[in-house]
Amino acid sequence: MIRWLGFLLALSLAPLSLAAIDTYEFETEAQRQQFYQVSSELRCPKCQNQNIADSDAPIAMDLRREVYRMVAEGKSDQQILDFMVSRYGDFVRYKPALTPATMVLWFAPAVLLLGGFIFLLVLLRRRQHALRDTAAQHLSQDEQRRLQSLLEREEDS
């Protein structure tokens, strides 16, 4: 019985041994830091919600190899990011640069939020006016005159 449990355990762990693990050797600690910092700034084109450092997608592995090659060549962070953006577009960066093409990405949320507040304000004002008009229509002539005089006094105050 124990042999069967051991066999089942080994069989269940077998797929883990097939997982690819990237290992990179760096000449300096600064290169290692640069590699991980740049890899964390780049979005996986396939996964879209992971950076290339965390993704297991084949394209992410290719991008990591490319970043490693450029770091080993001594390229700066900006040069590596520029290369990736020129090849994959602004989408590859988690924080795209502020350019005319990306202004929508940066400002659309604020504009939509402001537009929502303005819409809500207009809607509430219209509702208040409608309620006042409805209340005024149900009053008798004397009540309307009295209400009008009270409103005029309040406005003068």
Side-chain angles (χ1 to χ4, degrees):
M1 183 66 167
I2 293 177
R3 285 185 180 174
W4 278 104
L5 289 175
F7 175 72
L8 289 174
L9 179 65
L11 190 60
S12 66
L13 295 176
L16 295 177
S17 66
L18 298 176
I21 298 174
D22 294 333
T23 56
Y24 297 109
E25 298 292 326
F26 298 98
E27 294 177 13
T28 65
E29 181 64 22
Q31 285 182 334
R32 187 179 75 75
Q33 289 294 330
Q34 180 186 15
F35 172 79
Y36 287 113
Q37 194 264 333
V38 171
S39 295
S40 66
E41 287 183 29
L42 296 171
R43 182 190 318 262
C44 175
K46 182 178 180 184
C47 304
Q48 298 181 4
N49 63 344
Q50 287 183 312
N51 58 31
I52 64 170
D54 296 334
S55 176
D56 290 330
I59 185 90
M61 290 180 210
D62 292 341
L63 291 175
R64 283 193 299 267
R65 275 193 294 272
E66 191 66 24
V67 169
Y68 174 73
R69 181 188 63 78
M70 287 190 269
V71 166
E73 289 176 359
K75 305 250 182 189
S76 69
D77 291 357
Q78 192 59 46
Q79 289 173 320
I80 296 170
L81 293 173
D82 289 344
F83 172 79
M84 292 296 180
V85 168
S86 70
R87 194 165 185 189
Y88 297 99
D90 286 319
F91 181 77
V92 79
R93 294 189 68 187
Y94 269 114
K95 295 178 183 174
L98 183 60
T99 64
T102 60
M103 281 190 181
V104 172
L105 295 173
W106 284 101
F107 298 114
V111 169
L112 289 174
L113 187 63
L114 182 64
F117 281 131
I118 290 171
F119 175 76
L120 186 62
L121 183 65
V122 168
L123 190 67
L124 289 175
R125 296 266 179 165
R126 283 185 182 174
R127 188 171 184 174
Q128 282 180 339
H129 289 299
L131 287 174
R132 280 190 212 152
D133 292 344
T134 303
Q137 290 174 358
H138 295 297
L139 299 176
S140 67
Q141 292 289 350
D142 291 333
E143 291 172 329
Q144 286 181 6
R145 273 187 251 123
R146 185 167 181 252
L147 177 62
Q148 190 63 34
S149 68
L150 288 173
L151 288 174
E152 288 172 0
R153 267 194 246 152
E154 187 176 310
E155 288 176 2
D156 292 337
S157 302

